[in-house]
């Protein structure tokens, strides 16, 4: 029995397409992340990734912490982020 080729199977493991990662926007976004960007030194990648994660750690302490309405909020947020 000879079967005809009907094109790529959409649910095969090697041909599975997702709308976001396979779109132009998703590929450009991933290409611009510090981990995948070409031309950066390893220490530059580490600083950029560390600064981005630092905002995620310190930010909630500064804006949602118990001292958020005081002038010391940024200092206390930084100390809490360092302790964490």
């Amino acid at each position: 029995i000879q079967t005809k080729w009907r094109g790529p199977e959409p649910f095969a493991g090697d041909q599975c397409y997702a709308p976001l990662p396979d779109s132009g926007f998703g590929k450009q976004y991933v290409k611009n992340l510090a981990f995948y960007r070409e031309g950066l030194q390893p220490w530059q990648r580490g600083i950029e990734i560390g600064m981005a994660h630092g905002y995620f750690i310190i930010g909630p302490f500064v804006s949602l912490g118990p001292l958020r309405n005081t002038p010391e909020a940024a200092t206390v947020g930084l100390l809490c982020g360092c302790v964490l």
Side-chain angles (χ1 to χ4, degrees):
I1 297 176
Q2 199 171 24
T3 59
K4 287 183 153 185
W5 188 72
R6 294 185 225 165
E9 284 191 44
F11 298 108
D14 59 338
Q15 299 171 355
C16 212
Y17 299 109
L20 188 61
D22 291 325
S23 68
F25 171 77
K27 288 180 182 178
Q28 188 68 25
Y29 177 75
V30 170
K31 196 165 109 176
N32 282 330
L33 290 174
F35 188 75
Y36 296 109
R37 194 174 321 137
E38 293 185 19
L40 286 179
Q41 298 291 327
W43 64 271
Q44 291 172 321
R45 291 178 204 270
I47 286 178
E48 187 171 343
I49 293 171
M51 286 174 52
H53 284 88
Y55 285 120
F56 294 139
I57 292 173
I58 295 171
F61 288 113
V62 173
S63 60
L64 302 173
L67 299 174
R68 63 182 169 262
N69 295 328
T70 64
E72 295 84 14
T75 307
V76 172
L78 176 67
L79 292 173
C80 290
C82 290
V83 168
L84 184 66

